[in-house]
Amino acid sequence: MIKFLIKLTAFSFIFVLMLYVSIEAGKFTRDRARLSNLETLSKSIQFYKITYGSYPLSGQQNNVSDLLYNEQIVFGQIRDPLFLSSTVNLDNAINAAYSSYKDFTQRANADTIRMYFDRLKVGLLGYFNLTYETTDSVTTIVQDSTIASNMVSDSLSSEFLNELITYSPECVITYSSNPETDSYELSVCFESDFFSSKKKWDGGNDDNRYEVGNDLRLNTSIIIDDNNKITSSENTSIIK
């Protein structure tokens, strides 16, 4: 039984580690795409400025991505990779696998094991017309199984897997321009731990978002209400 517990604990640890690596890999991939999108949008906006003499207007009714696409400056609408990336499908599969595995470990408690063991024992003894007696072996099996369940549950209680994968409403591209100062700013939100530190060292005034542009003092922040709906200032465009 000890070997079984060791194997079960090792399997649980490897399973959780694989989930964590897969989740972080998906976040890293999407953040790389965000950096690429920002670079493409920024260069396209500058090209628009050279062509038309001013930066594209921003605001809640203006979508700079659609404008650049309609002007054939970019060859596809640029959106946050959370709405396009295939890594989201992988995360959904991880959600399903983790949910099933967590449900299994939670069901593997002493009462459940005792109930199924007693049913099995009564059925077998009844089939062979023997007398039902509670033995110490039942208690031993239940205790060992409960220990195994607790060990697995402990391995699943890591901070990075306390909850299933969720996506922040902040994962959108925001754009703001100011015709009076002839300036613009773009910003995105990073998910991965690897890229998160960049938000504080980009030279902008918003430590929650990564900003690029020729005036990082512009306001591209967003507000999330109680229903997880996002809003922004009147002069900021949100690109989903």
Side-chain angles (χ1 to χ4, degrees):
M1 194 66 182
I2 298 299
K3 291 183 179 180
F4 170 75
L5 295 179
I6 295 175
K7 290 180 180 179
L8 184 61
T9 303
F11 170 77
S12 301
F13 175 78
I14 294 173
F15 179 78
V16 171
L17 181 62
M18 290 177 62
L19 288 185
Y20 175 72
V21 172
S22 299
I23 293 169
E24 282 301 311
K27 292 179 180 180
F28 179 85
T29 301
R30 290 192 292 270
D31 285 347
R32 286 289 299 270
R34 290 184 177 99
L35 284 176
S36 178
N37 287 345
L38 277 185
E39 182 179 359
T40 300
L41 274 175
S42 184
K43 290 181 178 179
S44 301
I45 289 171
Q46 293 174 37
F47 181 82
Y48 183 95
K49 168 69 165 58
I50 294 173
T51 304
Y52 295 99
S54 62
Y55 290 111
L57 295 177
S58 61
Q60 296 180 358
Q61 304 301 322
N62 298 316
N63 189 318
V64 66
S65 178
D66 290 343
L67 174 64
L68 296 174
Y69 175 72
N70 293 333
E71 293 290 338
Q72 297 184 348
I73 297 176
V74 295
F75 298 101
Q77 292 178 325
I78 299 177
R79 304 176 62 193
D80 190 273
L82 191 61
F83 300 91
L84 301 173
S85 176
S86 59
T87 58
V88 176
N89 295 330
L90 175 61
D91 285 349
N92 292 335
I94 293 174
N95 270 344
Y98 174 63
S99 179
S100 300
Y101 191 67
K102 187 176 181 180
D103 182 64
F104 168 76
T105 57
Q106 289 177 343
R107 289 177 182 273
N109 53 49
D111 293 335
T112 303
I113 295 172
R114 183 178 290 107
M115 179 186 67
Y116 284 108
F117 188 88
D118 286 345
R119 286 182 181 179
L120 177 62
K121 185 174 182 179
V122 170
L124 289 175
L125 294 178
Y127 179 80
F128 291 105
N129 197 24
L130 299 175
T131 304
Y132 175 80
E133 294 181 358
T134 303
T135 63
D136 292 338
S137 61
V138 178
T139 304
T140 301
I141 293 174
V142 169
Q143 289 176 346
D144 290 344
S145 301
T146 304
I147 293 173
S149 175
N150 291 336
M151 294 174 70
V152 174
S153 298
D154 290 341
S155 66
L156 288 173
S157 63
S158 303
E159 292 183 0
F160 53 80
L161 284 178
N162 276 341
E163 298 180 356
L164 297 182
I165 305 169
T166 56
Y167 305 110
S168 172
E170 295 183 8
C171 292
V172 293
I173 304 171
T174 55
Y175 167 74
S176 180
S177 64
N178 188 338
E180 296 181 359
T181 59
D182 205 25
S183 58
Y184 77 98
E185 178 184 313
L186 290 160
S187 72
V188 294
C189 178
F190 288 139
E191 297 178 86
S192 67
D193 295 336
F194 182 84
F195 283 102
S196 291
S197 60
K198 289 182 175 291
K199 295 184 292 186
K200 294 183 179 181
W201 305 106
D202 57 9
N205 57 1
D206 189 349
D207 291 342
N208 296 317
R209 299 182 66 80
Y210 181 75
E211 304 156 278
V212 298
N214 62 359
D215 187 356
L216 302 187
R217 297 171 299 177
L218 296 178
N219 182 18
T220 56
S221 61
I222 61 176
I223 302 172
I224 304 175
D225 63 17
D226 295 335
N227 297 321
N228 278 341
K229 292 184 178 180
I230 58 175
T231 57
S232 62
S233 65
E234 294 182 358
N235 193 42
T236 300
S237 302
I238 297 177
I239 307 170
K240 298 182 179 180

